[in-house]
């Protein structure tokens, strides 16, 4: 997909979403709370009440997430698309990134129940170095 197409798609986003995307290009906080970190992994929790969202963040490490609760979410992706997904409790997805590859997105709970995920990033076996986490 061309840069022009991605920029045109993002232009349709609300101003506050576009501004947040622009300022959070290197945000490595992929969860709402960091539960644990070792030399091998970072374990994150994402808990979102209905209407809450976690802002834009960048995935550079191999990782997986597991939905602890069922629910619905909407995500703005770097390519300008807006995707809605339905999750089942226990659903798990795995992602791997080659050197220099990444994904930037946000996540908003558009359902009527709390949405809860556990995400595990692999620090020692990913092709990319972990991003520094801001406090």
């Amino acid at each position: 997909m061309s840069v022009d197409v991605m920029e045109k798609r993002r232009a349709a986003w609300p101003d506050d979403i576009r501004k947040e995307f622009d300022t959070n290009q290197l945000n490595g906080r992929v969860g709402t709370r960091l539960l644990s970190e070792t030399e091998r992994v970072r374990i994150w929790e994402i808990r979102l009440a209905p209407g809450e969202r976690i802002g834009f963040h960048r995935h550079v490490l191999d990782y997986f997430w597991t939905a602890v609760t069922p629910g619905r979410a909407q995500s703005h992706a770097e390519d300008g698309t807006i995707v809605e997904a339905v999750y089942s409790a226990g659903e798990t997805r795995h992602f791997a990134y080659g050197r220099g590859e990444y994904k930037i997105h946000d996540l908003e709970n558009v359902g009527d129940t709390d949405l809860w995920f556990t995400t595990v990033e692999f620090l020692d076996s990913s092709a990319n170095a972990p991003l520094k986490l801001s406090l």
Side-chain angles (χ1 to χ4, degrees), residues 83-105:
V83 177
E84 190 166 319
V86 176
Y87 302 99
S88 302
E91 181 177 351
T92 300
R93 298 264 173 92
H94 296 260
F95 300 88
Y97 297 98
R99 185 164 305 284
E101 294 179 337
Y102 62 90
K103 174 182 168 183
I104 301 172
H105 73 111

Side-chain angles (χ1 to χ4, degrees), residues 104-125:
I104 301 172
H105 73 111
D106 69 348
L107 186 71
E108 180 179 1
N109 181 349
V110 295
D112 54 8
T113 60
D114 286 356
L115 190 57
W116 180 9
F117 294 91
T118 299
T119 299
V120 177
E121 294 181 294
F122 298 99
L123 298 169
D124 65 342
S125 59

Side-chain angles (χ1 to χ4, degrees), residues 20-40:
E20 183 189 324
F21 174 82
D22 291 340
T23 60
N24 284 295
Q25 294 288 307
L26 297 176
N27 177 14
R29 299 191 66 80
V30 303
T32 53
R33 186 166 69 126
L34 181 61
L35 299 175
S36 178
E37 182 172 3
T38 70
E39 65 282 347
R40 297 186 64 213

Side-chain angles (χ1 to χ4, degrees), residues 10-75:
R10 286 195 300 260
W13 294 353
D15 286 344
D16 58 331
I17 296 290
R18 272 198 327 275
K19 287 176 186 173
E20 183 189 324
F21 174 82
D22 291 340
T23 60
N24 284 295
Q25 294 288 307
L26 297 176
N27 177 14
R29 299 191 66 80
V30 303
T32 53
R33 186 166 69 126
L34 181 61
L35 299 175
S36 178
E37 182 172 3
T38 70
E39 65 282 347
R40 297 186 64 213
V41 296
R42 285 181 183 156
I43 302 173
W44 295 91
E45 174 182 73
I46 299 173
R47 281 196 186 210
L48 301 172
E52 282 188 322
R53 66 185 279 276
I54 179 173
F56 286 100
H57 52 277
R58 180 183 291 243
H59 292 276
V60 298
L61 300 172
D62 296 350
Y63 74 101
F64 71 88
W65 57 255
T66 298
V68 178
T69 60
R72 289 182 29 240
Q74 177 178 284
S75 188

